[in-house]
Amino acid sequence: MYDVIVVGGGPSGATAAEDLVRSGHTVALLDRSGRIKPCGGAIPPRLIADFLIPDSQIVAKITTARMISPTGRKVDIPIENGFVGMVDREHFDEFLRNRAAEAGATRVTGTYLRIERDSDGTHVVYREKASGAEKRLTARMVIGADGARSNVARDEIKGGAKIPYVIAYHEIIESPGPRGEYDPARCDVVYDGRISPDFYGWVFPHGKSASIGMGSLLKEVDLKKATAALREASGLADCKTIRREGAPIPLEPLKRWDNGRDVVLAGDAAGVVAPSSGEGIYYAMVGGRVAATAAAAKLKTGRIKDLQLARKLFLREHGQVFRVLGAMQRAYYRSDERRERFVSLCHDVDVQRLTFEAYMNKKLVKARPLAHVKIGFKNVAHLTGLVSKDRV
């Protein structure tokens, strides 16, 4: 009998497991092992500080972000007083799982099948990877951290099977060093309908390798063809491909994260990927932390309502950022003409500074109210066409 079974060993599940065992709980961490999520791999300084990530996990430090418009306009945004850390999910996720195990979590390798309940407790039934046999773990609580289109959410949470998502695809390639449009110290974000008609493409350096990919809501989009075009445009078409990965990325948090009994969701399973940017690692780890807080509170008090703490704590700190980013995505991602205006807006120094201050610190910056007012007027002007999209 464990206190908690965590289903899913990505950044969210591993964080939840580690937090719980460090607070004195017994935890089983069930993970399929070997699955690597397509991900640009960017993490902000706040994640590195909050979750004690050692420098050995940072495969590159990015000091410039380049925005590229449908017409090829390029806006380079310097990252002042810091950097964006890059991680390789193949190694980063395993580092987090190992750290949870070293803290005291029991690692179990297998595939979640279902949840059963009887007088002995709540049982997670899974297929063991090594033997193929059906087995089960027993606990008082379950955290579902098994990604977008979560099977735990489908089985246990009202509305959990209806989360909207983007399909993301990327290719990890061997990095050739500086070449053509590729700079190993710069992240490129491509807003071009020929790459993605409703999201964006990316070229993110990972030191000795690089992640090149894109995402789209539209089923008719050929993800591999679009990624090939992005590689060609970046001068990386002939680089050796190390691996290819695809997976859904959720677009908005679920309305409910718990089943009112013994299950709470975390990370992508709860839908906590930032709109507009698609950033997920930081928010997944925060999601794991608040899910662990909610599970620990319910175990201590027995109060069902304590399970609601996960969603409340997350949205209290990050809800406003998600609302702003969601509004940006709805306003600017609908057409190439709008994306052109968005990249034009990014020329503005106030936009650049406030954007990266918010990214680095994971909160909206309130220290310069005049800058916010100026940006508000410029945003309206671009959206209404009062300012030419060709104006710098």
Side-chain angles (χ1 to χ4, degrees), residues 145-210:
D146 51 334
R149 295 194 293 191
S150 159
N151 290 325
V152 174
R154 177 202 65 202
D155 293 345
E156 295 290 330
I157 310 297
K158 184 178 179 180
K162 298 180 180 179
I163 190 168
Y165 57 86
V166 164
I167 293 296
Y169 171 81
H170 81 159
E171 296 176 358
I172 297 291
I173 66 166
E174 288 185 352
S175 174
R179 176 202 283 191
E181 291 297 319
Y182 177 72
D183 183 341
R186 186 188 69 222
C187 285
D188 291 356
V189 184
V190 182
Y191 297 99
D192 187 340
R194 290 168 296 182
I195 300 300
S196 172
D198 57 341
F199 207 56
Y200 64 81
W202 68 81
V203 180
F204 284 5
H206 286 180
K208 296 180 180 180
S209 62

Side-chain angles (χ1 to χ4, degrees), residues 41-45 47-48 53 58 83-87 92 279 281 359:
I43 62 172
L47 183 154
I48 295 170
I53 304 303
I58 310 301
F83 63 89
V84 175
M86 305 301 296
V87 297
F92 183 68
E279 182 191 358
I281 301 176
Y359 172 79

Side-chain angles (χ1 to χ4, degrees), residues 92-107:
F92 183 68
D93 290 17
E94 183 64 11
F95 161 77
L96 295 176
R97 288 190 288 267
N98 282 335
R99 190 165 72 172
E102 290 167 2
T106 300
R107 287 188 63 173

Side-chain angles (χ1 to χ4, degrees), residues 2 4-11 13-15 17-18 21 25-36 89-111 126-130 135-137:
Y2 291 94
V4 182
I5 299 166
V6 180
V7 179
T15 299
E18 183 184 0
V21 294
H25 297 89
T26 57
V27 178
L29 177 60
L30 173 65
D31 186 66
R32 287 188 294 176
S33 184
R35 177 184 178 273
I36 309 169
R89 293 290 298 273
E90 179 182 13
H91 306 295
F92 183 68
D93 290 17
E94 183 64 11
F95 161 77
L96 295 176
R97 288 190 288 267
N98 282 335
R99 190 165 72 172
E102 290 167 2
T106 300
R107 287 188 63 173
V108 181
T109 303
T111 301
Y126 69 99
R127 189 174 308 284
E128 186 179 55
K129 184 175 182 178
K135 296 190 174 184
R136 70 180 191 171
L137 300 163

Side-chain angles (χ1 to χ4, degrees), residues 98-374:
N98 282 335
R99 190 165 72 172
E102 290 167 2
T106 300
R107 287 188 63 173
V108 181
T109 303
T111 301
Y112 166 89
L113 297 176
R114 62 188 179 275
I115 291 176
E116 298 176 347
R117 297 176 179 87
D118 58 28
S119 58
D120 293 329
T122 299
H123 313 288
V124 170
V125 182
Y126 69 99
R127 189 174 308 284
E128 186 179 55
K129 184 175 182 178
S131 67
E134 193 170 293
K135 296 190 174 184
R136 70 180 191 171
L137 300 163
T138 303
R140 299 163 64 194
M141 282 284 304
V142 175
I143 292 178
D146 51 334
R149 295 194 293 191
S150 159
N151 290 325
V152 174
R154 177 202 65 202
D155 293 345
E156 295 290 330
I157 310 297
K158 184 178 179 180
K162 298 180 180 179
I163 190 168
Y165 57 86
V166 164
I167 293 296
Y169 171 81
H170 81 159
E171 296 176 358
I172 297 291
I173 66 166
E174 288 185 352
S175 174
R179 176 202 283 191
E181 291 297 319
Y182 177 72
D183 183 341
R186 186 188 69 222
C187 285
D188 291 356
V189 184
V190 182
Y191 297 99
D192 187 340
R194 290 168 296 182
I195 300 300
S196 172
D198 57 341
F199 207 56
Y200 64 81
W202 68 81
V203 180
F204 284 5
H206 286 180
K208 296 180 180 180
S209 62
S211 165
I212 304 175
M214 50 78 66
S216 178
L217 274 165
L218 306 178
K219 294 181 179 179
E220 60 268 26
V221 173
D222 188 327
L223 306 180
K224 294 183 178 180
K225 183 178 179 180
T227 301
L230 188 54
R231 288 181 62 164
E232 180 73 33
S234 303
L236 303 172
D238 61 344
C239 294
K240 181 181 177 180
T241 301
I242 299 172
R243 63 179 190 267
R244 299 177 175 88
E245 295 143 2
I249 297 177
L251 289 174
E252 62 184 49
L254 288 173
K255 301 298 183 184
R256 182 163 184 167
W257 294 9
D258 70 272
N259 68 347
R261 184 176 184 178
D262 54 6
V263 175
V264 63
L265 302 179
D268 282 12
V272 293
V273 171
S276 180
S277 69
E279 182 191 358
I281 301 176
Y282 171 76
Y283 295 112
M285 295 179 76
V286 172
R289 179 151 287 173
V290 296
T293 299
K298 196 266 182 179
L299 288 170
K300 181 177 180 179
T301 67
R303 293 192 300 250
I304 293 298
K305 68 177 184 179
D306 284 345
L307 293 179
Q308 298 172 16
L309 280 171
R311 191 174 189 275
K312 289 179 178 178
L313 290 172
F314 184 92
L315 293 180
R316 181 182 300 168
E317 182 166 6
H318 302 292
Q320 187 178 6
V321 170
F322 272 48
R323 287 190 292 273
V324 170
L325 292 176
M328 284 179 56
Q329 181 169 332
R330 290 188 294 274
Y332 284 112
Y333 284 21
R334 63 177 62 179
S335 69
D336 271 356
E337 195 274 339
R338 287 289 184 96
R339 282 187 280 268
E340 194 71 40
R341 291 187 178 278
F342 174 66
V343 175
S344 178
L345 180 64
C346 290
H347 275 285
D348 188 272
V349 173
D350 287 321
V351 171
Q352 294 179 10
R353 287 177 177 170
L354 289 180
T355 296
F356 271 96
E357 285 178 22
Y359 172 79
M360 307 280 263
N361 299 306
K362 285 292 166 276
K363 60 180 67 175
L364 295 179
V365 181
K366 300 178 181 179
R368 296 200 298 274
L370 181 58
H372 281 281
V373 172
K374 287 167 61 182

